[in-house]
Amino acid sequence: MTILTDYNWDGDRETARRYPEPAPDPVDRRSPYEHDRARIIHSVAFRRLQGKTQIFAPGQAEFLRTRVTHSIEVAQIGRSLAAIAGVPDSLVEAACLAHDLGLPPFGHAGEETLDRLMQSYGGFEGNAQTLRVIARLEEKSRTYPGLNLCRSTLLGVLKYPYRRNPHRNKFLYDEDLDDYADWLFAGTDAEPIATDSKKVLPRSLVCQLMDWADDVAYSVHDMEDGLNSGFLLPSLPLRCIVDLTWQRLQSYYPSGLCCLDRDRVGEILQELRDRLEQPDSTIREVMRYYINRFVTSIAVIATRKRPRSLFDFRLEIPEAVRHECEAFKLLTLEFIICDERTSTLARKGREILTRLFHILFENASPCAGELRYVLFPRAVRPTLAAVADDEAIRARLVCDRLAGLTDGQALRLYNRLLESTGSSPFEPV
């Protein structure tokens, strides 16, 4: 295994910021990555995550996770992975805290809805929106857009450096790639993947660590919430659980893209049940076992004799561990996300975002006449007026407005616009 303790983490290539800033006060001994972590934690976008769905909507039960508690747990797992790999823990932690900043209200149902509504205007993708939030939308200073994070931190959240493709639902927005790609990938052999390219995905080591921390938290913690909420019932016949999980796997993955077979799914779920049924174990202890197993199994391999950048390393996870992680995610998908109780709320979220998008887009269009832009906050109106003749940019700005709302804000705005009871004009959206 390669340990990166000798890597030049303080070099200009890793710590450079897109826009120049005054040097920190000499008394401030924090590293550039610790500054990045603080910028993310203090951002409006991060605070809004407390009101966004993880797998259950905020407020459904106080002990269930929201998007912000998920991000905090991803960051903690990321720190553990960083310690093993010899990477600055604050760098990986910053990438983990930022990884979901672009996700809209109502979870992945909201993401799919906005992508459908934006099909003619460049699409919508949560990771692409995260880059847009931290590089453009989040206001920290009047002298530059976004949070002006270090290059390594930005690359740490860049999971899908693709150009948009009708056959690929993960991508970055062309505008952001055109503006940032040369600077982000400067001094490396990596580059964004063209639409029709079959090259290996160029992810920095920090991004690989962040992505695995996210997978670990998602697979284990969401399963824990399912067990605590009663959505996952260990008392169900194991054969029934395995059959339903296996069927979900077959419908979720295109033929040949998943290496799990039914017997392996059965073995993984049998071991999970055996651990949960031990008389002296608790759900938390079982989850802790799997998190520890998933974290301590990693290895970092250099892909070239003399690595030049963080793109010259590969994170390796044993196949057995990947299988377990995948099986747990599919278990959550089948028994929680596809349950009729959560599915009806997801359907409601899709309807809310669809109606709001059409109303706001119409109000931003010339057909609104003298009432154009009145449904938008005053701070947003000059930006909309500046692009009044560009329909695609107007659509993107409407999408930004909706993606930045919490679940509760979206619901209040919907009620104010469309419900007969409405809401008080003194109640903030």
Side-chain angles (χ1 to χ4, degrees):
M1 174 169 166
T2 303
I3 305 295
L4 281 79
T5 49
D6 294 331
Y7 189 83
N8 185 15
W9 297 106
D10 297 324
D12 289 342
R13 151 105 216 117
E14 308 304 337
T15 62
R17 300 186 188 277
R18 178 73 183 276
Y19 303 96
E21 296 184 17
D25 190 300
V27 177
D28 189 345
R29 313 289 286 195
R30 290 176 296 169
S31 73
Y33 310 125
E34 291 172 321
H35 280 275
D36 282 358
R37 178 182 61 197
R39 293 179 184 197
I40 292 162
I41 289 173
H42 292 291
S43 69
V44 174
F46 185 75
R47 292 197 299 276
R48 282 180 178 148
L49 294 180
Q50 67 187 306
K52 295 192 178 187
T53 295
Q54 176 59 18
I55 55 171
F56 295 103
Q60 289 186 337
E62 285 70 19
F63 60 86
L64 298 177
R65 290 166 172 87
T66 64
R67 190 65 63 173
V68 76
T69 57
H70 164 73
S71 296
I72 292 169
E73 289 171 333
V74 172
Q76 180 57 46
I77 294 169
R79 287 176 65 91
S80 300
L81 294 170
I84 295 171
V87 178
D89 53 12
S90 55
L91 170 56
V92 178
E93 184 180 13
C96 291
L97 289 169
H99 84 284
D100 270 348
L101 291 183
L103 280 186
F106 311 117
H108 291 292
E111 186 177 7
E112 293 163 2
T113 301
L114 288 181
D115 184 43
R116 173 177 55 79
L117 294 165
M118 289 291 293
Q119 279 301 300
S120 299
Y121 308 108
F124 179 88
E125 201 283 321
N127 189 243
Q129 191 71 14
T130 292
L131 177 61
R132 185 169 170 82
V133 167
I134 59 182
R136 295 183 186 277
L137 302 181
E138 185 69 32
E139 185 175 345
K140 178 184 179 292
S141 170
R142 297 285 187 182
T143 59
Y144 53 75
L147 296 176
N148 202 29
L149 302 179
C150 293
R151 182 187 276 117
S152 283
T153 307
L154 280 174
L155 287 172
V157 300
L158 217 63
K159 288 173 63 174
Y160 308 111
Y162 300 119
R163 290 201 178 271
R164 188 167 176 244
N165 182 323
H167 308 294
R168 180 186 288 143
N169 61 3
K170 300 295 183 183
F171 54 88
L172 292 177
Y173 305 141
D174 287 344
E175 177 188 8
D176 295 326
L177 268 179
D178 293 341
D179 285 354
Y180 271 85
D182 289 346
W183 180 80
L184 281 171
F185 294 96
T188 76
D189 296 330
E191 61 181 1
I193 297 179
T195 299
D196 56 352
S197 174
K198 295 183 179 178
K199 292 181 181 179
V200 176
L201 185 66
R203 286 181 177 174
S204 74
L205 177 61
V206 175
C207 183
Q208 295 175 63
L209 292 167
M210 177 277 292
D211 195 34
W212 182 237
D214 187 27
D215 276 356
V216 173
Y218 172 41
S219 63
V220 177
H221 290 147
D222 288 0
M223 181 171 64
E224 180 185 4
D225 276 356
L227 289 164
N228 285 326
S229 63
F231 277 69
L232 285 175
L233 297 174
S235 59
L236 283 174
L238 182 65
R239 182 172 180 176
C240 174
I241 295 174
V242 172
D243 284 344
L244 290 170
T245 304
W246 172 244
Q247 291 167 17
R248 182 59 57 187
L249 181 150
Q250 290 179 301
S251 65
Y252 187 71
Y253 285 102
S255 178
L257 287 187
C258 185
C259 53
L260 272 174
D261 58 34
R262 189 192 181 285
D263 290 342
R264 180 66 181 128
V265 171
E267 291 170 4
I268 293 168
L269 298 183
Q270 179 67 65
E271 180 184 356
L272 172 64
R273 167 168 281 187
D274 290 345
R275 292 186 178 279
L276 288 169
E277 289 181 344
Q278 290 178 7
D280 57 345
S281 70
T282 64
I283 292 175
R284 282 294 304 124
E285 286 174 322
V286 174
M287 299 303 111
R288 183 177 63 181
Y289 162 79
Y290 281 109
I291 290 174
N292 182 69
R293 173 172 162 76
F294 291 178
V295 167
T296 57
S297 68
I298 68 161
V300 175
I301 307 298
T303 58
R304 61 193 305 168
K305 189 173 182 179
R306 293 183 177 178
R308 296 173 53 197
S309 75
L310 292 177
F311 291 98
D312 297 330
F313 300 92
R314 182 179 71 250
L315 182 66
E316 290 200 344
I317 295 110
E319 184 180 67
V321 170
R322 284 199 179 276
H323 285 176
E324 291 171 346
C325 182
E326 197 61 40
F328 294 161
K329 287 195 287 186
L330 289 163
L331 188 68
T332 297
L333 177 63
E334 172 60 29
F335 287 94
I336 303 177
I337 297 174
C338 293
D339 184 274
E340 70 275 11
R341 290 166 288 182
T342 51
S343 294
T344 52
L345 292 174
R347 173 66 180 79
K348 182 179 181 180
R350 291 188 185 96
E351 178 66 17
I352 288 172
L353 286 180
T354 299
R355 298 285 295 278
L356 289 179
F357 182 89
H358 289 311
I359 290 171
L360 293 181
F361 185 71
E362 179 183 35
N363 185 246
S365 302
C367 64
E370 294 180 358
L371 296 179
R372 195 175 186 184
Y373 311 133
V374 296
L375 299 182
F376 292 86
R378 290 190 180 275
V380 178
R381 295 177 191 180
T383 306
L384 285 164
V387 296
D389 298 327
D390 192 317
E391 184 174 310
I393 298 180
R394 288 204 313 270
R396 179 62 63 194
L397 293 174
V398 169
C399 185
D400 288 341
R401 165 77 170 139
L402 293 178
L405 299 176
T406 65
D407 293 26
Q409 286 176 315
L411 182 58
R412 287 194 294 273
L413 182 57
Y414 179 89
N415 288 341
R416 184 174 295 179
L417 288 168
L418 294 165
E419 293 294 326
S420 58
T421 53
S423 63
S424 168
F426 300 103
E427 181 184 14
V429 170

